[in-house]
Amino acid sequence: MRAVLGNRHAHRDGEKLPRAKRATVIDFPDGTSLAEAFTNVTHAQGVWTNHATEGAQPAWVASDSPSLAALLAEHFGGIEIRDLEDPYGGALNPNRGGGGGGGSAAKMAPLMLMLPVSLYLLSKLQPYLKTSAGNDVQAAQMSGAASATAVLKWIAITANITAPAAGDTTLTGEIATASGGLIRKIGTYAHTTGVASYTITTTFTVNASDVIPVTVGKRGIFDAASAGNMGFETLVSPTATLSAIGDALTLTDTITL
């Protein structure tokens, strides 16, 4: 699933860029629900907040999911819904279907009920430490070397709060409870044209398999669903305590190029 938001108020390192025909492209991992996609875009530490200046609204929205396009258009004050076209110049999903009309509050309400009972949003994130392994992964990927691995998009969390170190190769105490909602998962990628950074937004939701309560204190970004190379690592500050089924933690990580 993909969504594109017209972003005339993009920023770089907190400074508004000159007005231009920019767009923020958001690619959701396979299996992302409509409610998760909507939340990842719109919540206080989500994709839009991290790609646009404070208080700005998208100029338009497009998506290969007509339902998501309608929800986002309604949320952002009835903005225009466009056909999905690649802002970089190529053709995108030709099977978008209809969805030319705006969504309504009546359509949105049932979907909003699908959101977690509690949503913990982190207002302050520690700077990311790129590990030595991360340097190796980045060099191989950018050069197209034969040793290039999968991309760094898997987010893992832990209760451990030991300070990150460049030589770390694993996330100490990584939560890996089988079938749990807090195990390593793919985050939602977003990038605004012309901006030297991208974000990965991930929501972890407690389910019946998880051992709770747990206080999340650190996270890492890997290139595999298990094991693999840990390219980035950072403390979570303030920490977030999850104590009930349905509690959720949303993290947005900004990687500067």
Coordinates of all heavy atoms in Angstrom, one line a residue, residues 10-13 17 22 51 191-198 257:
A10 N 7.5 21.4 3.0 CA 8.6 20.4 3.4 C 9.7 21.2 4.2 O 9.9 22.4 4.0 CB 9.1 19.7 2.2
H11 N 10.3 20.4 5.1 CA 11.4 21.1 5.8 C 12.7 20.2 5.8 O 12.6 19.0 5.6 CB 11.0 21.4 7.2 CG 10.8 20.2 8.1 ND1 11.8 19.5 8.7 CD2 9.6 19.5 8.3 CE1 11.3 18.5 9.4 NE2 10.0 18.5 9.2
R12 N 13.8 20.8 6.0 CA 15.1 20.0 6.1 C 15.7 20.5 7.4 O 16.0 21.7 7.6 CB 16.0 20.3 4.9 CG 17.3 19.6 5.1 CD 18.3 19.9 3.9 NE 17.9 19.4 2.7 CZ 17.7 20.2 1.6 NH1 17.8 21.5 1.7 NH2 17.3 19.6 0.5
D13 N 16.0 19.5 8.3 CA 16.6 19.9 9.6 C 15.8 21.0 10.4 O 16.4 21.8 11.0 CB 18.0 20.3 9.5 CG 18.9 19.2 8.9 OD1 18.6 18.0 9.1 OD2 19.9 19.5 8.1
L17 N 11.7 24.5 3.6 CA 12.3 24.7 2.3 C 11.5 25.6 1.4 O 10.3 25.9 1.7 CB 12.4 23.3 1.6 CG 13.2 22.2 2.3 CD1 13.1 20.9 1.6 CD2 14.7 22.7 2.3
R22 N 6.7 19.6 -4.2 CA 7.3 18.5 -3.5 C 6.1 17.5 -3.1 O 5.0 17.9 -2.9 CB 8.1 18.9 -2.3 CG 9.4 19.6 -2.7 CD 10.3 19.8 -1.5 NE 11.5 20.4 -1.9 CZ 11.7 21.7 -2.0 NH1 10.7 22.6 -1.7 NH2 12.9 22.2 -2.3
H51 N 7.7 15.4 8.3 CA 8.0 15.8 6.9 C 7.5 17.2 6.5 O 7.9 17.7 5.4 CB 7.5 14.8 5.9 CG 8.3 13.5 5.9 ND1 9.3 13.3 4.9 CD2 8.3 12.4 6.7 CE1 9.8 12.1 5.1 NE2 9.3 11.6 6.2
H191 N 9.6 9.4 2.3 CA 10.6 10.4 1.9 C 10.0 11.5 1.1 O 9.1 11.3 0.3 CB 11.6 9.6 1.0 CG 12.6 10.6 0.4 ND1 13.6 11.3 1.1 CD2 12.8 11.0 -0.9 CE1 14.3 12.0 0.3 NE2 13.9 11.9 -0.9
T192 N 10.4 12.7 1.4 CA 9.9 13.9 0.6 C 11.0 14.3 -0.4 O 12.2 14.4 -0.1 CB 9.7 15.1 1.6 OG1 8.7 14.7 2.5 CG2 9.3 16.3 0.8
T193 N 10.5 14.5 -1.6 CA 11.4 14.9 -2.7 C 12.3 16.1 -2.4 O 11.8 17.1 -1.8 CB 10.6 15.2 -4.0 OG1 9.6 16.2 -3.7 CG2 9.8 14.0 -4.5
G194 N 13.6 15.9 -2.6 CA 14.5 17.0 -2.4 C 15.0 17.1 -1.0 O 15.8 18.0 -0.7
V195 N 14.6 16.3 -0.1 CA 15.0 16.4 1.3 C 16.0 15.3 1.6 O 15.9 14.2 1.2 CB 13.8 16.3 2.3 CG1 14.3 16.3 3.7 CG2 12.8 17.4 2.0
A196 N 17.1 15.7 2.3 CA 18.2 14.7 2.5 C 18.0 13.9 3.8 O 18.9 13.8 4.7 CB 19.5 15.5 2.6
S197 N 16.8 13.3 3.9 CA 16.5 12.4 5.0 C 15.3 11.6 4.6 O 14.6 11.9 3.7 CB 16.3 13.2 6.3 OG 15.1 14.0 6.1
Y198 N 15.0 10.6 5.4 CA 13.8 9.8 5.3 C 13.4 9.3 6.7 O 14.2 9.5 7.6 CB 14.0 8.6 4.4 CG 15.0 7.6 4.8 CD1 14.6 6.5 5.6 CD2 16.4 7.7 4.5 CE1 15.5 5.5 6.1 CE2 17.3 6.7 4.9 CZ 16.9 5.7 5.7 OH 17.8 4.7 6.1
L257 N 20.7 11.7 5.4 CA 21.6 11.2 4.4 C 22.9 11.9 4.3 O 22.9 13.1 4.7 CB 20.8 11.2 3.1 CG 19.5 10.5 3.0 CD1 18.8 10.7 1.7 CD2 19.7 9.0 3.3

